[in-house]
Structures are given as structure tokens and as C-alpha cells.
């Protein structure tokens, strides 16, 4: 399959936990990665592989992968976490890059 | 620390070719650990992968754009370039160049983005 599906909008109360999900057949064979994008900025890698965080990403961000679903969890959401989040993976052939449609996270 | 910077015209006429260059600094350009890619984002919309190139020169392109794309490298100047032919208004977007880490196929460093408008 050549698609990754995300819920367009997600909301969370300040300090609570939120899970952003991504579904696609390619996730059976490849880990998802997650990018955070704030208005006017380039995307920022926040999670990849089996729950790996790049340097500087807070540990309130975590990731999981199961079957055809990947999840990005933010435990104790902060105002600065309000952003668009995109999942990504290789396609089933392993040569192409897929992006999900993005999830807009609102912190209430 | 790797840094990337897009350059090129911000306005392209319909039916013409969009050409952008990405200049890489920080010393990783010739490494076999990384690929180099282009991603675009139409105003108010999501990310779309355009294609990527390896230090060997091998390329893979988004099948939906493949007939119009060419990506090339200039190792001597640590640059890679995108050509997108026969553009229309639908190609108006912010174009990003980024480093693609081969082991996990993730974009770990991005340029700031270049807005390209297709209009006469």
C-alpha cells in the first residue's frame, strides 16, 4: 500500500496524555517516524525507529508500533507541543518515502 | 552539525521548469550513510515526498511526479539539485531539502524551505 492515514485533528487538555495514530500496510514491515511542524517552520524529527528520540526531544514523547498502526504519545502535553504532526515510513518496496496527511494537535 | 540551504527562483511561469539547489555544510555530504531528498508542502496542506539521491548518483522519485523530476548531485560543491518540468499552479509549494538517514530512512536535518510560486 502507498498510504498512511492519520486523524486530521487531535486535542488534549494541558498536562494530559494524548496519542496520535498512523495506519498503513507499510507499517507491518517498517517503523514509523514522526515529525512535528509549527507554523512557518520546517518539520522537526521527534521520533523514529523503535521508540528512538533525537537529541533534544523531551522524554514526554514516545512511540510505538503494532501491526499496521503506529502511535506517537505525548505524556503531559505542554502548550509548546501544539503543532502539526506527520507520520512517515518507507513504502512496502523499501525505496520510497510515505507521509501521512498530518494531525493538527491542539492543547486546550 | 549538518546544515542545508535551498536556493533558486521564487517565481516560475506555468509550463516552465522549476530549478532549486540545496547546499549542504557540516561534512556529511559524501558519506554513504545518508541520502539527500526533496519534500514539498503546498500552502495549507501536508508534506509530499518528491525524491532522493544517494552519493553514488542513484535516484528514486515519487511515482506521481516521476515523469517530470530530475535530481542530481554536485559533489565538488556539496550541492544537490531538483528540476521539475512543465509546472502548473498545483506545483506552488514550499520546497524543502533534507538529509535522509539511511539506516532508518528518516529526515534528520532539513533546510528552512523555499516558497516557489507558479504564476504568469
Amino acid at each position: 500500500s502507498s498510504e498512511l492515514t492519520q486523524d486530521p485533528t487531535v486535542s488534549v487538555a494541558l498536562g494530559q496524555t494524548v496519542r496520535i495514530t498512523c495506519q498503513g500496510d507499510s507499517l507491518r514491515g517498517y517503523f514509523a517516524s514522526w515529525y512535528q511542524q509549527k507554523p512557518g517552520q520546517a518539520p522537526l524529527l521527534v521520533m523514529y525507529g523503535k521508540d528512538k528520540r533525537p537529541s533534544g526531544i523531551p522524554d514526554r514523547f514516545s512511540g510505538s508500533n503494532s501491526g499496521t498502526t503506529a502511535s506517537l504519545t505525548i505524556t503531559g502535553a505542554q502548550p509548546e507541543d501544539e503543532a502539526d504532526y506527520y507520520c512517515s515510513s518507507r513504502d512496502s518496496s523499501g525505496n520510497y518515502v510515505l507521509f501521512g496527511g498530518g494531525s493538527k494537535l491542539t492543547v486546550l | 552539525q549538518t546544515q542545508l540551504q535551498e536556493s533558486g527562483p521564487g517565481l516560475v511561469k506555468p509550463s516552465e521548469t522549476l530549478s532549486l539547489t540545496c547546499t549542504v555544510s557540516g561534512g556529511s555530504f559524501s558519506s554513504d550513510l545518508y541520502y539527500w531528498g526533496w519534500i514539498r508542502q503546498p500552502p495549507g496542506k501536508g508534506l509530499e515526498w518528491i525524491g532522493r539521491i544517494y552519493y553514488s548518483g542513484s535516484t528514486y522519485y515519487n511515482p506521481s511526479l516521476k515523469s517530470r523530476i530530475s535530481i542530481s548531485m554536485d559533489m565538488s560543491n556539496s550541492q544537490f539539485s531538483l528540476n521539475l518540468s512543465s509546472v502548473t499552479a498545483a506545483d506552488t509549494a514550499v520546497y524543502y531539502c533534507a538529509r535522509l538517514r539511511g539506516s532508518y530512512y528518516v529526515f534528520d536535518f532539513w533546510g528552512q524551505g523555499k516558497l516557489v510560486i507558479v504564476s504568469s
Side-chain angles (χ1 to χ4, degrees):
Chain A
S1 171
S2 60
E3 289 187 354
L4 295 175
T5 302
Q6 299 181 240
D7 292 328
T9 59
V10 182
S11 62
V12 61
L14 181 65
Q16 296 303 302
T17 296
V18 61
R19 178 175 294 175
I20 302 170
T21 61
C22 175
Q23 292 189 308
D25 289 343
S26 63
L27 299 178
R28 285 190 193 279
Y30 298 105
F31 290 119
S33 53
W34 292 90
Y35 300 88
Q36 176 193 71
Q37 187 180 34
K38 297 181 179 180
Q41 297 184 15
L44 173 71
L45 180 67
V46 295
M47 189 66 55
Y48 67 101
K50 189 178 180 182
D51 199 18
K52 293 184 181 297
R53 280 188 312 277
S55 174
I57 303 302
D59 62 5
R60 64 178 178 273
F61 288 85
S62 62
S64 64
N65 298 265
S66 179
T68 61
T69 301
S71 300
L72 175 71
T73 299
I74 307 173
T75 303
Q78 300 299 304
E80 60 266 32
D81 300 333
E82 190 163 284
D84 293 327
Y85 290 85
Y86 294 91
C87 64
S88 178
S89 82
R90 298 181 189 239
D91 80 318
S92 299
S93 77
N95 293 312
Y96 303 99
V97 176
L98 301 175
F99 284 107
S103 295
K104 183 177 183 62
L105 175 67
T106 299
V107 180
L108 303 171
Chain B
Q1 175 106 340
T2 296
Q3 293 185 312
L4 301 96
Q5 178 68 58
E6 304 90 349
S7 60
L11 181 64
V12 181
K13 290 182 168 54
S15 80
E16 295 189 345
T17 296
L18 180 160
S19 296
L20 294 174
T21 296
C22 182
T23 302
V24 180
S25 59
S28 62
F29 191 66
S30 59
S31 171
D32 62 356
L33 298 176
Y34 308 108
Y35 303 88
W36 303 93
W38 289 97
I39 305 98
R40 71 179 183 178
Q41 185 172 36
K45 297 188 178 181
L47 301 171
E48 179 181 31
W49 175 69
I50 297 173
R52 61 88 168 155
I53 189 166
Y54 195 40
Y55 81 105
S56 63
S58 72
T59 54
Y60 277 96
Y61 301 141
N62 186 323
S64 69
L65 299 170
K66 185 176 181 179
S67 64
R68 299 195 290 132
I69 302 173
S70 174
I71 298 176
S72 59
M73 294 181 85
D74 177 354
M75 298 294 284
S76 62
N77 288 309
S78 297
Q79 296 177 328
F80 64 106
S81 298
L82 168 70
N83 283 334
L84 178 65
S85 64
S86 305
V87 298
T88 70
D91 295 309
T92 293
V94 175
Y95 286 76
Y96 295 100
C97 61
R99 189 179 83 172
L100 182 63
R101 189 186 303 181
S103 54
Y104 288 96
Y105 232 59
V106 295
F107 292 105
D108 58 358
F109 287 96
W110 294 66
Q112 66 185 25
K114 175 74 176 180
L115 174 61
V116 180
I117 296 172
V118 178
S119 175
S120 55

